């Protein structure tokens, strides 16, 4: 069973061709491989375009530029000296796998620094055959005893012909530029400039944002943005039709969607706000990537559509697919007569469809996880529990398949805190929770204080500086399971990934013995070590400010309090983890062994934070299952 749940989703990305006749998929192949394949909407087998073995390259997406040619992105993590760095490359390729062309500035041994990314597409230039607008990083080069040099330095915008990588410069390179926004019609309308310290080049987290009036080339001041300030507006998408930009800004302590006119008045207008949760983001769709809606989640994910047709179609599809209430519009043909749709639920990993407006037919293309097709999965039920007179912690309870909360009595149980901590769990299919529910466990996923998505008062200082509140809420979830009669107190464990792994370890420090076993995947184990590791990167001050300073550096780090952990621990980590260094798990294993505490540690070579390998995930699930069986006797 671990193999069926451990296999990555069959479909990692999907896109529809301009004529609506084909769909390209990124699929998870054996092990850590990724495969780009395409299939005709009318039917037939998938045909392979290209593949990567995951050692180290991995495909993340492919999208159509013409009906026969794609642009794809490959990611990798590699070491440079003692540092791990992330790299990405864009390339164009025909559907038959021929004529592969790298997009971006050519590499040179004379370059003055490494090129981690060769660019990103900011405009697909609908109606312009075979060309895209790219933001590309230009790196100068120096040749000794030569007058031939390349001086361009920084982020530029170029129009690229994907047939041959020939380009035309649209915006000159600027070393301070971080991001450009186009209006979806080939016009660059906004740019953000990063502000760094003058001494060592660390980012301050602050940006200066500029914009252009319609039809003008002059840059004008728009605003400054500092992510730590509550009232800053962050531009997300320019809308050519209304000559405005959509973005997020706080309202009453929660993220809300606003628009600002891109004229001299810069008129700001509230588009959507929710009185309980943050806006999660915008929905972009169709020609030019126009903004058609906004998404958020209270108990379940919800989308409010501004586009009347999509709003109506969404309701009709919900009725046509009553067991798949999560409906997302992913892509459209150029004429928007055919739409690529994903539909899923908590107990169904989901399916991909193509809807034809003219015939009103909904054609299923492929299921997300074929190995789970004949397995009964569990419902994910929204719950809440009280931790203070005016504080109820929301979360999700997943019980063994077919079991109701009234039926659940004295089960082995797992509290599963999410990562981040600037994140939250959302209702929907979760392979990690579903595996353990399938094995007979009750699984509670709490959105503890410190989680993102519920506004500033819930986020507090964040789960690091306010670790005691966050871990207290998580531990209260375990006590709630026992008080409800759901969990057997002698068979209750805690397992988490990333910050969730930290929370699992620190829960055993705060309340030794509450959980009888601890599992941590890629966990933060020491605050000071996390700060120290970031010194080699431009985000050092951001990490330092997020974690803060003071007594919590020692009190809140499980590595520095291992003597308080009284139960068995199992750890997992990939040795190419950019998010949390593998050093953190290595140190934790050594510290636990030094004080004579039982610990099992599995390290996976060549893998990053998400452990994107079918075999590794299978091994991890099977290992945790055996560990729990031995520890919760």
């Amino acid at each position: 069973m671990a193999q069926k749940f451990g296999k990555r989703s069959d479909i990692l990305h999907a896109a529809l061709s301009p004529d609506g006749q084909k769909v390209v998929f990124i699929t998870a192949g054996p092990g850590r491989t990724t495969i780009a394949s395409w299939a005709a909407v009318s039917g037939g087998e998938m045909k392979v375009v290209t593949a990567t073995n995951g050692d180290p390259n991995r495909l993340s997406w492919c999208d159509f530029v013409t009906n026969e040619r794609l642009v794809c992105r490959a990611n990798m993590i590699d070491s440079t000296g003692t540092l791990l760095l992330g790299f990405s490359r864009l390339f164009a390729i025909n559907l038959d796998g021929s004529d592969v062309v790298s997009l971006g500035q050519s590499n040179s041994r004379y370059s003055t620094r490494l090129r981690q990314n060769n660019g990103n597409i900011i405009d697909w230039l609908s109606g312009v055959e075979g060309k895209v607008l790219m933001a590309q990083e230009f790196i100068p080069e120096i040749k000794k005893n030569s007058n031939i040099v390349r001086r361009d330095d920084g982020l530029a915008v170029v129009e690229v012909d994907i047939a041959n990588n020939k380009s035309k410069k649209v915006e000159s390179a600027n070393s301070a530029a971080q991001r450009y926004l186009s209006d979806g019609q080939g016009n660059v309308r906004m740019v953000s400039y990063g502000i760094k310290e003058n001494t060592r080049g660390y980012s301050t987290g602050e940006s200066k944002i500029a914009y252009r009036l319609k039809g003008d080339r002059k840059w004008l001041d728009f605003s400054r943005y500092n992510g730590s300030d509550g009232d800053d507006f962050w531009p997300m998408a320019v809308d050519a039709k209304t000559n405005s930009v959509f973005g997020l800004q706080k309202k009453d302590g929660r993220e809300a969607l606003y628009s600002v006119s891109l004229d001299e008045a810069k008129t700001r207008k509230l588009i959507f706000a929710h009185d309980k949760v943050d806006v999660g983001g915008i929905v972009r769709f169709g020609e030019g990537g126009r903004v058609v809606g906004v998404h958020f989640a209270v108990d379940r994910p919800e989308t409010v559509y501004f586009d009347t047709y999509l709003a109506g179609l969404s309701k009709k599809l919900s009725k046509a697919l009553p067991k798949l209430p999560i409906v997302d519009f992913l892509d459209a043909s150029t004429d928007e007569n055919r739409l690529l749709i994903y539909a899923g639920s908590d107990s169904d990993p989901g399916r991909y469809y193509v809807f034809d407006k003219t015939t009103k037919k909904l054609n299923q293309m492929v299921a997300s996880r074929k190995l789970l097709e004949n397995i009964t999965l569990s419902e994910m039920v929204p719950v809440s529990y009280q931790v203070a007179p005016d504080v109820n912690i929301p979360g999700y309870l997943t019980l063994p398949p077919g079991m109701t909360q009234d039926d659940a009595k004295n089960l082995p149980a797992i509290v599963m805190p999410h990562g981040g901590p600037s994140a939250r769990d959302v209702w929907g299919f979760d392979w990690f929770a579903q595996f353990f529910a399938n094995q007979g466990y009750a699984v509670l996923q709490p959105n503890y204080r410190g989680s993102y998505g519920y506004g500033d008062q819930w986020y507090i200082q964040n789960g690091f500086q306010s670790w005691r509140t966050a871990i207290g809420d998580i531990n209260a979830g375990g006590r709630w399971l026992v008080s409800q009669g759901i969990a057997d107190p002698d068979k209750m464990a805690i397992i988490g990934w990333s910050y969730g792994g930290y929370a699992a370890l620190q829960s055993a420090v705060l309340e030794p013995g509450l959980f009888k076993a601890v599992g941590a995947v890629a966990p933060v184990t020491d605050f000071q070590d996390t700060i120290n590791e970031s010194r080699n990167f431009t985000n050092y001050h951001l990490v330092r400010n997020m974690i803060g300073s003071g007594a919590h550096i020692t009190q809140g780090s499980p590595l520095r309090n291992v003597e308080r952990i009284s139960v068995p621990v199992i750890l997992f980590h990939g040795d190419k983890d950019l998010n949390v260094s593998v050093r953190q798990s290595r140190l934790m294993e050594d510290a636990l062994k030094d004080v004579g505490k039982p610990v099992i540690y599995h390290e996976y070579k060549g893998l990053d934070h998400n452990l994107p390998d079918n075999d590794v995930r299978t091994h991890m699930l099977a290992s945790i299952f055996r560990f729990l069986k031995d520890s919760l006797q």
Side-chain angles (χ1 to χ4, degrees), residues 326-338:
I326 301 174
V327 177
D328 295 327
F329 298 106
L330 304 180
D331 204 354
S333 58
T334 301
D335 60 12
E336 296 193 22
N337 281 331
R338 285 191 173 182

Side-chain angles (χ1 to χ4, degrees), residues 302-329 339 341 355 362:
E302 299 179 51
T303 301
V304 171
Y305 288 101
F306 314 139
D307 183 292
T308 54
Y309 177 79
L310 292 178
L313 180 58
S314 177
K315 292 179 181 179
K316 291 177 182 177
L317 289 173
S318 295
K319 293 180 180 179
L321 304 168
K323 295 183 179 180
L324 303 173
I326 301 174
V327 177
D328 295 327
F329 298 106
L339 311 180
I341 295 167
F355 176 73
L362 188 66

